Amino acid sequence: HVQLVESGGDSVQPGGSLRLSCVPSGNTNRDYCLGWFRQAPGKERERLTTIRIGLTPGGSHMTYADSVKGRFAISHDSAKNTLYLQMNNLKPEDTAMYYCGYRSGTYCFRDFTSTGQGTQVTVS
């Protein structure tokens, strides 16, 4: 079982930036996927970005939802075992609870099996 702890959420003004962090712990596979999701009140959880870990240092095969492409960037620091989400040019519609997720293997387009408790981002 993999546990994930997110941090870095805050309240910012439109146009501002934030960097979220996520630290996974437990028995991760050699090859696995990490991702960021968000859920706003009254809305379904949205998959934002995924990264495949294990093939290439720093991760590979990053994917982005159209809603965040060009503004958000996912990255992974293997030395620190930390996943990041750099969010730039934040908009009020980015307000949500942000979660990181994990799934073993390389099919990052499939459902993630573990998520953290989330960190709140408010843009206003």
Side-chain angles (χ1 to χ4, degrees):
H1 183 63
V2 174
Q3 295 83 38
L4 304 126
V5 178
E6 305 94 337
S7 62
D10 204 346
S11 295
V12 296
Q13 294 183 345
S17 297
L18 278 177
R19 189 177 76 162
L20 306 183
S21 300
C22 170
V23 179
S25 61
N27 295 322
T28 57
N29 283 12
R30 185 193 68 179
D31 298 309
Y32 57 97
C33 303
L34 295 174
W36 287 99
F37 304 77
R38 70 184 178 190
Q39 188 165 18
K43 294 188 177 181
E44 294 187 357
R45 184 169 293 192
E46 179 185 11
R47 175 184 296 227
L48 301 178
T49 175
T50 64
I51 186 171
R52 183 173 152 185
I53 306 299
L55 180 66
T56 305
S60 64
H61 296 80
M62 292 76 151
T63 66
Y64 293 93
D66 288 343
S67 59
V68 302
K69 195 173 295 182
R71 298 189 300 124
F72 291 11
I74 191 171
S75 62
H76 182 258
D77 185 332
S78 59
K80 297 181 178 179
N81 188 33
T82 301
L83 177 74
Y84 299 102
L85 180 66
Q86 178 66 43
M87 305 186 295
N88 299 324
N89 190 21
L90 283 161
K91 305 175 181 180
E93 52 263 42
D94 294 319
T95 296
M97 186 70 78
Y98 284 69
Y99 303 87
C100 66
Y102 163 92
R103 70 162 285 119
S104 63
T106 59
Y107 295 125
C108 300
F109 57 91
R110 291 185 175 172
D111 289 343
F112 280 53
T113 54
S114 300
T115 56
Q117 293 299 307
T119 186
Q120 178 67 37
V121 173
T122 302
V123 185
S124 64

